[in-house]
Amino acid sequence: MKFGHFDDVNKEYVITSPRTPLPWINYLGCEDFFSLKSNTCGGYSFYKDAKLLRLTRYRYNNVPLDSNGLYYFIKDGDTVWNPGWMPTKTELDDYKCRHGLGYSVFEGKKNGISAVLTDFVPMGTACEVNKLTLTNESDEKKDFTLFSYVEFCLWNAMDDMTNFQRNFSTGEVEIHGSTIYHKTEYRERRNHYAIFSVNTDIDGFDTDRDSFLGAYGENRAPEVVMTGKAKNSVASGWAPVGSHQINISLAPGESRDLVFVLGYVENKKDEKWEGLNKVNRKPAEAMLTKFDTTEKADQALADLKAYWNGLLSHFTVSSSEEKLDRMVNIWHQYQCMVTFNMSRSASYFESGIGRGMGFRDSCQDLLGFVHLIPDRARQRILDIASTQFEDGSAYHQYQPLTKKGNADIGSGFNDDPLWLIAGTAAYIKETGDYSILDEITPYDNDASKATDFMEHLRRSFNYTVNHLGPHGLPLIGRADWNDCLNLNCFSEEPGESFQTFGPSEGPNAESVFIAGMFVKYGKDYAAICRHRGLEEEAKEAEKQIEKMEQTVLDAGWDGEWYLRAYDHYKHKVGSKECEEGKIFIEPQGFCVIAEIGLKDGYCLKAMESVEKHLDTKYGIVLLQPCYTRYHVELGEITSYPGGYKENAGIFCHNNPWISIAETVVGRGNRAWQVYTRTCPAYIEDISEIHRTEPYVYSQMIAGKDAPNFGEAKNSWLTGTAAWTFLDVSQYILGIRPDYDGLVVDPCIPASLDGFSAKRDFRGVTYHITVKNPNGAEKGVASMTVDGTPVEGNMIPFDGSKKEVQVEVVMG
Ligand code: BGC
Ligand code: IFM
């Protein structure tokens, strides 16, 4: 069952029923100001940091679900309704929500009035613009009243929902003309405030929530709206809100546009203005003049669309698979950009308070956006590296605003350092920019402890070399990619509960997954050394890598698949000898991607085992059999009921690892099957089962051991976005940047007769046509570049041409 449909021409998902299984959201903003926007206008806004500078209040886990947002109420006689249906839930004659790239449009109709609300965050200005077009579609004159409404957050979102003894007395506002200034905190900080304004004269306002809602009121039926009369309340303490009343009169067929702006304003340093506690209105007025006409708002939206179209034009595909084209050209890349902006901070499952930017997560996210915004990728890499410790280990998370490591969580996740090599290698392959290696980069943000960036990579590589366990495999530390596999959280005391962020290192617990990563990204490290003329170092690294490959085959192979780990007691994890958790997905993906034992058939065997033991109709589960009871020596993973999260959920993030691994063994049909099984557009028809947005990935889908098999959770902010784009663009379509040029190495289903793609690479546009006349799954029979046949499947980079035609015949 579907609740809408894709509109590929406009690059939108069009939701046609407000009663989606869960709120289906969009992200407005791609620089500093962001709004989360659900399909019924729920959500909230913040500036740069979802915890510290939150403009509007949102109640997670609220009842009814998703019942706070930036709302417009229309009071037309006795009928009160919202263009986005919530919060009144008045049945609409027509409802649509179009989630587009950085904007959302809500189209509501009731009793002959049409309201079209276009919400977006323009480029270059810290605000959300809401253009509301009201049209009288009836043949009678219509007199009705419009009320806007937003509830302000007192900036620090954590403090806002806990520190009531203070916060009920700090709220302050000013009202000047049609602009409401929310200036709580201004007294002491004197540097920032929020505004909510409209480009017309108003007939009233409210800024005190309880006055607006009425005693024990609710935003489903605010007293002011129900009575049709604003109270002109001025908030003093309690809960400041912003509401405008505008009386509207429309002749039959007549339309009226209103442009509302919700903005974040900062004073310029040292600026002087009248009145000690009064806001400095100058910057707000300057902001508002940018959007004070319909034309200006429309132009800002057109500019935003042009920005997105430009970004997405760097990689496009055209094939007979409509859904593939849709996901590659629009939604995969869009989700990658959202994960770039948000990391794992603010979604409808991440509160914006709990987590900062992950070292591991942000490095992986790079894999998806480096081709879109290489300059920002470069900066991101250096920001991440600046939080690294001198021994190569890393803070697991850092704060987006300060860019400093989070000491509460600390370090000890032993995969973290290697992800830095992964992200950097992707950056260099894409851009050819080796100068990043010379950047002087601090450790733990301490400039006195800086080295060049190459040294950071060296310490990342050596961190693994210096932390090997009894079998010669990498020590796992607090966890590796699987945060919940806490093998050093063992307790000698039976019955003692796990601590996820407990002891950081034990001498025994080892990870085969990190071994796979080490082999894969170690090769990149060696290649980078070699490029810098460090031949000896490259050879030494290769020796370590070869040794690790052999160690995996000796101590990390279980007969039919790669083992997962050894625990503190040196017992195997992910082995046929185990009662539960006999096979895990992660080492199968990564050891095959690293080609460990490829020539000797290990990789193919591992892939067959995945298919045999972990496959389900909704995707590949993380492990089998699920853990049915808690094991203190394995940690948090066993705290989840079977089928959820890391305990045998379908963790979408590592499904593309398997799809990529399948391309390594050359099985295009299977790589494609794995890709399409979890791919949003391919499972749109089961939205009532899947439940989260059908245009983006979720972190997890309940596995077959869960009662709600197939139900997804934690949509949007997941490494799945980057890994899937990498999988489909670089391994299935096979257009892969490498150090010296662009490789074309497709691995596609035999049924696909080819495709064409446009790929911008280091300033050159490649027009690539792939033909598959004989139904091959992998293999390039011939390739021509601008008509000239070339050996192999790599196009050496030549910046002298701006357009290059490439023809590939598979076979
Ligand atoms: C949570 C897991 C989550 C992980 C993400 C853990 O603390 O319990 O559910 O997947 O963090 O980093
Ligand atoms: O690898 C982690 C990631 O960093 C955060 N989400 C869960 C994943 C698996 O535990």
Side-chain angles (χ1 to χ4, degrees):
M1 180 180 170
K2 300 202 292 183
F3 296 82
H5 55 87
F6 287 96
D7 173 346
D8 294 341
V9 172
N10 290 305
K11 304 192 173 78
E12 293 170 346
Y13 192 82
V14 185
I15 300 165
T16 48
S17 161
R19 289 183 182 80
T20 46
L22 288 167
W24 284 0
I25 73 164
N26 193 13
Y27 284 85
L28 316 185
C30 31
E31 295 165 322
D32 296 329
F33 188 102
F34 298 98
S35 296
L36 277 62
K37 191 68 66 180
S38 76
N39 60 306
T40 59
C41 291
Y44 61 93
S45 304
F46 60 92
Y47 180 73
K48 284 191 181 170
D49 186 312
K51 178 177 178 187
L52 298 176
L53 289 173
R54 196 175 294 197
L55 273 85
T56 63
R57 191 173 275 163
Y58 189 76
R59 295 179 188 83
Y60 279 91
N61 223 347
N62 206 358
V63 177
L65 198 59
D66 190 33
S67 49
N68 221 7
L70 176 42
Y71 292 129
Y72 296 90
F73 295 87
I74 291 169
K75 177 165 167 56
D76 174 21
D78 290 337
T79 307
V80 176
W81 60 281
N82 307 96
W85 186 64
M86 281 287 275
T88 58
K89 292 193 259 184
T90 301
E91 222 45 62
L92 298 175
D93 298 337
D94 196 15
Y95 158 92
K96 272 191 199 76
C97 162
R98 302 173 168 274
H99 282 322
L101 305 179
Y103 69 90
S104 292
V105 182
F106 302 87
E107 301 174 0
K109 283 189 192 181
K110 185 77 188 171
N111 298 345
I113 299 171
S114 137
V116 178
L117 174 65
T118 306
D119 287 7
F120 63 100
V121 170
M123 302 299 295
T125 311
C127 69
E128 179 183 323
V129 175
N130 287 185
K131 184 183 116 178
L132 180 63
T133 302
L134 298 163
T135 307
N136 178 0
E137 294 186 341
S138 77
D139 40 23
E140 283 163 20
K141 183 166 177 271
K142 283 274 187 190
D143 292 304
F144 55 97
T145 316
L146 175 80
F147 294 91
S148 64
Y149 177 65
V150 73
E151 184 177 351
F152 292 111
C153 179
L154 307 186
W155 300 110
N156 180 325
M158 187 63 188
D159 190 74
D160 184 69
M161 58 182 173
T162 47
N163 197 8
F164 304 111
Q165 60 79 26
R166 171 181 162 80
N167 295 340
F168 285 163
S169 296
T170 56
E172 288 191 284
V173 297
E174 283 178 38
I175 301 105
H176 298 281
S178 303
T179 306
I180 292 163
Y181 293 76
H182 173 232
K183 61 170 194 172
T184 306
E185 272 196 357
Y186 202 69
R187 225 164 250 280
E188 71 272 31
R189 300 188 189 225
R190 303 174 58 71
N191 63 358
H192 68 261
Y193 56 86
I195 52 169
F196 187 34
S197 187
V198 57
N199 68 341
T200 188
D201 289 341
I202 56 175
D203 297 290
F205 62 84
D206 276 285
T207 62
D208 174 59
R209 188 186 67 200
D210 292 349
S211 304
F212 180 77
L213 297 180
Y216 294 90
E218 51 184 326
N219 62 9
R220 179 172 192 174
E223 187 174 281
V224 159
V225 178
M226 301 317 279
T227 57
K229 188 86 198 89
K231 295 181 187 168
N232 295 349
S233 58
V234 179
S236 175
W238 299 110
V241 299
S243 173
H244 308 90
Q245 173 179 347
I246 301 163
N247 301 334
I248 313 263
S249 185
L250 294 176
E254 193 188 354
S255 268
R256 182 168 171 195
D257 290 332
L258 298 166
V259 182
F260 291 84
V261 171
L262 172 74
Y264 172 86
V265 182
E266 256 174 26
N267 295 323
K268 288 205 191 80
K269 267 211 174 92
D270 303 326
E271 194 168 354
K272 300 266 176 293
W273 62 95
E274 297 285 304
L276 183 65
N277 294 321
K278 295 265 174 241
V279 289
N280 170 20
R281 282 154 52 195
K282 263 189 275 165
E285 284 160 2
M287 175 185 282
L288 291 172
T289 54
K290 292 188 183 176
F291 310 103
D292 57 3
T293 65
T294 300
E295 292 67 32
K296 289 184 194 174
D298 288 346
Q299 185 56 49
L301 180 62
D303 293 347
L304 180 72
K305 289 186 180 177
Y307 166 79
W308 275 108
N309 286 334
L311 268 188
L312 298 190
S313 69
H314 298 305
F315 191 115
T316 55
V317 65
S318 169
S319 75
S320 53
E321 275 286 323
E322 187 189 34
K323 293 175 184 171
L324 169 75
D325 295 3
R326 164 185 303 153
M327 291 309 298
V328 170
N329 297 339
I330 307 169
W331 298 99
H332 287 331
Q333 299 195 67
Y334 186 51
Q335 189 174 3
C336 285
M337 283 303 292
V338 172
T339 58
F340 164 73
N341 289 324
M342 296 289 127
S343 187
R344 305 293 173 271
S345 67
S347 73
Y348 265 32
F349 300 87
E350 302 279 8
S351 66
I353 293 173
R355 314 230 311 240
M357 317 276 287
F359 189 99
R360 167 204 298 143
D361 297 330
S362 297
C363 286
Q364 285 173 86
D365 290 347
L366 272 158
L367 308 175
F369 65 77
V370 66
H371 72 291
L372 291 162
I373 42 167
D375 294 345
R376 292 172 81 180
R378 188 181 203 274
Q379 189 54 51
R380 177 65 61 83
I381 292 172
L382 296 172
D383 288 346
I384 296 171
S386 305
T387 67
Q388 195 176 15
F389 290 106
E390 283 179 287
D391 70 350
S393 66
Y395 281 110
H396 195 49
Q397 286 175 18
Y398 68 100
Q399 292 305 327
L401 214 52
T402 61
K403 298 184 178 173
K404 294 226 163 94
N406 179 344
D408 292 342
I409 295 179
S411 65
F413 295 78
N414 282 356
D415 61 320
D416 274 337
L418 292 171
W419 291 117
L420 187 64
I421 301 178
T424 307
Y427 171 77
I428 294 178
K429 287 176 186 171
E430 179 69 39
T431 59
D433 168 25
Y434 286 89
S435 74
I436 189 173
L437 301 171
D438 300 317
E439 292 288 345
I440 300 302
T441 313
Y443 294 90
D444 196 4
N445 289 98
D446 179 349
S448 71
K449 295 193 282 195
T451 65
D452 65 19
F453 178 62
M454 180 66 195
E455 180 62 24
H456 280 257
L457 297 185
R458 181 173 296 122
R459 293 184 192 186
S460 296
F461 180 81
N462 287 333
Y463 187 82
T464 303
V465 177
N466 296 331
H467 290 79
L468 300 178
H471 297 90
L473 290 164
L475 289 171
I476 196 169
R478 288 159 70 173
D480 59 21
W481 174 89
N482 190 329
D483 275 321
C484 302
L485 190 61
N486 313 128
L487 305 180
N488 287 312
C489 293
F490 62 89
S491 167
E492 303 296 346
E493 299 295 321
E496 207 158 272
S497 70
F498 72 85
Q499 289 174 285
T500 310
F501 296 130
S504 57
E505 180 105 345
N508 294 336
E510 298 169 296
S511 163
V512 177
F513 168 78
I514 300 182
M517 273 188 87
F518 178 77
V519 172
K520 164 77 183 153
Y521 298 122
K523 290 177 194 162
D524 281 308
Y525 176 67
I528 292 170
C529 286
R530 193 156 276 132
H531 184 272
R532 276 176 92 77
L534 302 169
E535 186 55 35
E536 279 316 301
E537 200 178 338
K539 280 196 188 133
E540 179 51 36
E542 280 160 353
K543 242 197 261 162
Q544 296 287 352
I545 293 162
E546 272 167 39
K547 199 163 123 203
M548 186 66 78
E549 287 184 87
Q550 197 51 52
T551 306
V552 170
L553 297 179
D554 294 343
W557 178 254
D558 197 50
E560 289 177 68
W561 56 80
Y562 301 93
L563 271 180
R564 178 63 177 88
Y566 287 91
D567 70 13
H568 170 70
Y569 304 99
K570 304 184 191 167
H571 296 150
K572 292 176 181 171
V573 179
S575 159
K576 56 180 177 303
E577 293 166 20
C578 303
E579 230 175 88
E580 300 177 337
K582 289 175 190 285
I583 171 170
F584 280 62
I585 194 172
E586 306 100 309
Q588 318 318 322
F590 249 85
C591 293
V592 176
I593 291 174
E595 304 183 6
I596 299 178
L598 179 64
K599 287 194 299 288
D600 300 320
Y602 289 82
C603 294
L604 185 58
K605 187 80 211 153
M607 290 298 96
E608 285 167 356
S609 296
V610 167
E611 197 169 351
K612 183 163 162 203
H613 300 287
L614 299 179
D615 227 19
T616 80
K617 61 178 172 174
Y618 296 131
I620 303 169
V621 294
L622 195 144
L623 60 88
Q624 275 298 292
C626 69
Y627 293 105
T628 55
R629 66 178 179 86
Y630 178 62
H631 295 256
V632 70
E633 76 286 5
L634 301 177
E636 183 176 353
I637 189 166
T638 58
S639 72
Y640 288 111
Y644 288 127
K645 297 279 287 185
E646 284 87 342
N647 185 12
I650 297 161
F651 228 86
C652 296
H653 188 138
N654 28 47
N655 275 249
W657 296 352
I658 298 300
S659 183
I660 294 172
E662 288 288 1
T663 69
V664 170
V665 298
R667 303 203 302 179
N669 287 340
R670 173 70 177 151
W672 178 253
Q673 184 187 51
V674 174
Y675 166 68
T676 51
R677 280 240 170 105
T678 55
C679 183
Y682 285 88
I683 55 174
E684 186 197 4
D685 287 343
I686 56 154
S687 287
E688 82 287 7
I689 297 171
H690 188 75
R691 302 190 77 226
T692 52
E693 294 90 333
Y695 37 93
V696 290
Y697 283 90
S698 294
Q699 181 206 49
M700 187 219 45
I701 300 169
K704 62 184 178 188
D705 302 295
N708 302 327
F709 181 34
E711 180 191 52
K713 289 192 187 109
N714 305 357
S715 55
W716 280 98
L717 305 183
T718 159
T720 316
W723 275 104
T724 299
F725 189 70
L726 196 75
D727 174 27
V728 69
S729 64
Q730 299 196 14
Y731 292 90
I732 292 179
L733 300 174
I735 303 170
R736 187 157 65 236
D738 210 335
Y739 295 103
D740 300 319
L742 198 60
V743 170
V744 185
D745 187 19
C747 185
I748 58 177
S751 57
L752 196 62
D753 61 0
F755 61 89
S756 57
K758 176 178 123 13
R759 174 53 153 112
D760 293 338
F761 177 63
R762 303 185 193 174
V764 179
T765 301
Y766 294 83
H767 302 274
I768 302 166
T769 309
V770 172
K771 294 190 176 130
N772 189 20
N774 301 319
E777 290 181 57
K778 191 169 177 172
V780 168
S782 67
M783 179 161 100
T784 63
V785 176
D786 283 335
T788 310
V790 288
E791 280 291 310
N793 60 359
M794 142 105 114
I795 315 158
F797 181 67
D798 170 5
S800 67
K801 299 177 176 167
K802 289 296 149 219
E803 305 269 331
V804 175
Q805 307 291 331
V806 183
E807 287 221 9
V808 172
V809 180
M810 292 178 66

